[in-house]
Amino acid sequence: MTAEDLRTWMAGLDDLFARVAGRFGRVEPRQRARAYLLGLLAPVERKNGWQLAEAAGDDGPEGMQRLLNSYTWDADAVRDDLRAYVVEKLGDADGVLIVDETGFVKKGDRSAGVQRQYSGTAGRIENCQVGVFVAYSSARGRALIDRELYLPKSWTTDQERCAQAAIPDSVVFATKPVMARAMLERTLAAGVPARWITADEGYGGDYRFRSFCERHGMGYVVAVPCSQSVGLGPRGDVRADSLIADAPPAAWKRMSAGDGAKGPRLYDWALARLPWEVEPGFGRWLLVRRSITKSDEMAFYFAYGPRETSFADLVRIAGMRWAIEECFQQAKTETGLDHYQVRRYDAWYRHITLAMLAHAYLAATAAGLPKALTGSFPSAPARSAVCWHT
């Protein structure tokens, strides 16, 4: 990096911090927050209190710990500033909102929300915390814009344990889809430009989550389990994996769900318009993804959107769910999303928000324009039968 590059990089960072500086009412927490942000962006191996303090030239971690545990500042207000920054730098009318969760493996039982539970990050049951996140993705780039810490019932039903972790009395148990809907509600209320929502089957399999998207005029492509019931009007209901057995060979199209680390992510896809009542001008579909090398490996999606939406666009939206996985990996690797050593509920939100802010700066700096997919979609079928795209 040249001296001019460094000056440009620092000027951009100064502009970002100026947007949030007012959230830290006094000089000391403001200086600490800037040093913390710089440390998260620095080539520090473990971005915890000790190493961030060392990067800032401090003798010990007390100052960084005070920033997370005791100084007065509102992490949700900083989140709002972060969201506005992402919209300014990456916003696009065709943006996609992505919901997913990630695990943070922890020792002991005192960190807010920790218990033995499934971690998709580890792919098994671990002693961990689970955070539910919303990411924003467009042709210009992608970044995390909201977060919630999942609290299992083992926590919300234990007032003493909650008090020890500084969890407010107002916080009650909420399922992950409920938390996701709350985040999407405030995201849309803030005017974030987006037309689509995508999520894995933990959210897509919840009809209330899908209904939320439809009520807010949002298209979606969400994963559902293979056992998902698909209503076919007079024909009754059938499982998604049974329905796909009726697809003719010509229904399968080899298409890319977007570029991955090794090039285009190619799969075979089939698409059926479903005979369900919808708002005028809209349609619902069953989208199926099949491995090219292992034909018995399939993934199923429900989709909803404007009737003229192309097959290729639905495949593209389905593929964009991986963008949040890339955000998690980058934020954990580059900005220490999972490097924290805090137990308090509010401290978790503070570290996570600052790590997201640092990641958003990297995303805005590196924003590029990915290739778009094109395609066409057939005319509407009769309501009484499924119509496969062939």
Side-chain angles (χ1 to χ4, degrees), residues 39-48 52 102 104 121 144 324-340 351 355-356 358-359 362:
L40 292 173
L41 290 164
V44 177
E45 182 180 1
R46 291 295 300 173
K47 297 175 182 182
N48 53 39
L52 292 179
T102 189
F104 303 91
T121 307
L144 302 168
I324 197 169
E325 299 291 349
E326 293 172 358
C327 286
F328 290 148
Q329 180 180 3
Q330 292 164 0
K332 289 180 178 182
T333 302
E334 303 294 336
T335 66
L337 187 74
D338 61 343
H339 293 189
Y340 59 88
H351 170 84
M356 288 166 54
H359 175 256
L362 295 181

Side-chain angles (χ1 to χ4, degrees), residues 166-223:
I167 299 172
D169 292 340
S170 59
V171 176
V172 298
F173 175 75
T175 65
K176 295 169 188 174
V178 167
M179 299 173 82
R181 296 203 310 263
M183 286 190 285
L184 290 172
E185 181 84 56
R186 58 182 173 243
T187 298
L188 297 175
V192 173
R195 292 183 180 173
W196 295 92
I197 293 171
T198 186
D200 70 13
E201 64 183 53
Y203 304 89
D206 184 341
Y207 77 92
R208 288 163 294 199
F209 182 86
R210 302 194 303 269
S211 296
F212 168 89
C213 299
E214 295 181 20
R215 289 197 308 272
H216 286 76
M218 297 294 295
Y220 60 75
V221 181
V222 293

